[in-house]
Amino acid sequence: MKEEEHQAARGTARMQRMNEPMRNHTKAELLRMAYAGGLVPYNNPAKWRKDENASTVVDTEFRTADQPGPARRSHRTARPGAAGPP
């Protein structure tokens, strides 16, 4: 049961975190942030909805938060104005 509670809390935190970039960034900025976080441009992510791009950014943040040490990279270190793949 404890694992289920942990997953539920993580899902709630993810949804709450996803609201912030949705409010504060444009779809294009979120796409650049996703590219900076390592998104591979397959399946044409430029046509994704804004919430799908925000979800990808948040997923990347959570994955890097789970990594130990200097491998961590926050969305705050990814420059939204940085050029990404075409």
Side-chain angles (χ1 to χ4, degrees):
M1 183 77 171
K2 187 168 181 127
E3 179 64 28
E4 291 172 359
E5 291 172 357
H6 176 71
Q7 290 297 325
R10 187 173 175 97
T12 300
R14 182 182 178 282
M15 291 305 294
Q16 289 173 346
R17 174 64 189 111
M18 215 172 99
N19 287 330
E20 183 182 334
M22 291 267 305
R23 283 192 314 267
N24 297 327
H25 299 285
T26 66
K27 179 182 174 186
E29 289 172 333
L30 288 169
L31 183 59
R32 285 191 294 269
M33 291 167 69
Y35 283 142
L39 176 69
V40 178
Y42 68 93
N43 197 15
N44 204 359
K47 291 188 177 180
W48 290 354
R49 296 183 322 258
K50 185 176 180 180
D51 63 322
E52 292 172 316
N53 291 330
S55 177
T56 300
V57 169
V58 171
D59 287 345
T60 302
E61 289 176 0
F62 279 0
R63 273 195 307 274
T64 56
D66 290 342
Q67 294 178 358
R72 289 186 180 176
R73 182 175 177 176
S74 161
H75 76 284
R76 289 168 181 74
T77 61
R79 298 182 328 245

